[in-house]
Amino acid sequence: MFFILCFVPLLFAFCLFTFVFKLKISHQLLAILLGLAIVFPISVIQYVVPTTNTFQNMPIVGTMLKSLIIYGLVEELFKTIVLVPVLSTKSIKEEYSALQLLFLSFLLGLSLACFESLVYLFDRLQIANNKGAQLLYHHIFLRIFTSDLIHMSCAGLCGLFVISKRYNNNKSKISYLFLAILLHGIYDFFAGFQNNLKYFSYFVVLLALIECRVKYTALTKKE
């Protein structure tokens, strides 16, 4: 039951985009499958990277750099790489508005987030069972949904970067990609704390959603 709940946001978005915003099911399934496909290479990279802190005298700096590079840079680059063929396909590009292309980007980000949440929840269940402890599910689900939102909004920024050339005098807005990397890295940095600093990650999620809206409006204002 708990594993099924991991995919509720993805299912809700799929239905919303299908029946309200008229995205084709085939295009949405492509975005979902590509989101799933990049889970494996991202997980491999994060697994093989050493966990030791290079900055022994400055652990906070080391943790921040790891969050920015391993979680921010790696994940957002993979999202961008797979979004390029999706959003640049002639049939999709000509058929959909900028808003619909943004929603496809959201769906890819949600797909990645939901599969990551499934892995995270399974890992935490294993740890809890080995220790004979009880898993606090409300904490897990709070993290799952905040993780879904940061992945979704950052994927949206990556998608806006991909389509920005179409709306910005044939020039790409590289700052959108940098912003996605920065926000994702900062989110993971604060989400890793076990004290009150973790609540800053919620503000980062809110900021990412706002920035996604602001960048979309700025990019398409001429329309």
Side-chain angles (χ1 to χ4, degrees):
M1 179 63 180
F2 293 107
F3 297 111
I4 296 175
L5 288 176
C6 291
F7 294 94
V8 169
L10 182 62
L11 179 61
F12 174 78
F14 182 84
C15 294
L16 180 67
F17 297 157
T18 300
F19 298 109
V20 178
F21 296 101
K22 309 303 180 183
L23 270 65
K24 289 185 176 180
I25 292 177
S26 58
H27 295 156
Q28 294 188 77
L29 290 177
L30 175 61
I32 291 172
L33 289 175
L34 288 173
L36 169 62
I38 61 177
V39 171
F40 178 72
I42 288 174
S43 300
V44 169
I45 292 173
Q46 293 174 351
Y47 178 78
V48 299
V49 171
T51 57
T52 54
N53 196 331
T54 306
F55 298 84
Q56 296 293 338
N57 297 325
M58 297 181 292
I60 297 296
V61 174
T63 303
M64 173 61 83
L65 287 176
K66 182 179 179 180
S67 297
L68 288 171
I69 295 172
I70 302 303
Y71 299 108
L73 180 63
V74 170
E75 294 195 18
E76 300 312 320
L77 279 182
F78 269 99
K79 288 179 191 174
T80 303
I81 289 170
V82 297
L83 278 171
V84 169
V86 175
L87 303 184
S88 301
T89 301
K90 187 175 180 181
S91 59
I92 294 179
K93 187 168 62 174
E94 292 179 352
E95 182 178 352
Y96 289 156
S97 65
L99 183 61
Q100 289 172 312
L101 294 176
L102 176 62
F103 288 154
L104 271 181
S105 305
F106 282 167
L107 200 64
L108 185 141
L110 271 176
S111 173
L112 169 62
C114 289
F115 284 109
E116 275 196 353
S117 296
L118 181 63
V119 173
Y120 177 85
L121 181 57
F122 182 76
D123 180 61
R124 292 298 168 180
L125 278 172
Q126 291 282 78
I127 294 174
N129 290 334
N130 291 337
K131 292 183 177 180
Q134 185 177 4
L135 189 62
L136 299 177
Y137 289 106
H138 66 282
H139 289 170
I140 299 296
F141 290 129
L142 180 61
R143 181 202 176 276
I144 286 173
F145 285 105
T146 52
S147 177
D148 287 351
L149 288 176
I150 197 69
H151 273 292
M152 184 188 77
S153 54
C154 287
L157 289 169
C158 293
L160 291 174
F161 160 68
V162 173
I163 68 171
S164 61
K165 194 173 183 180
R166 169 179 167 186
Y167 296 93
N168 191 44
N169 296 323
N170 212 32
K171 296 179 180 178
S172 298
K173 282 278 191 179
I174 190 68
S175 61
Y176 290 10
L177 176 58
F178 286 151
L179 184 59
I181 294 170
L182 181 64
L183 288 172
H184 194 157
I186 294 175
Y187 163 80
D188 270 288
F189 172 74
F190 283 114
F193 283 94
Q194 300 300 316
N195 53 29
N196 289 335
L197 285 174
K198 66 182 179 182
Y199 295 113
F200 282 100
S201 64
Y202 305 155
F203 291 105
V204 178
V205 171
L206 180 61
L207 179 60
L209 291 170
I210 293 172
E211 283 295 331
C212 202
R213 169 64 179 174
V214 169
K215 301 308 181 189
Y216 165 78
T217 303
L219 192 64
T220 60
K221 62 182 178 182
K222 292 181 180 179
E223 285 192 331

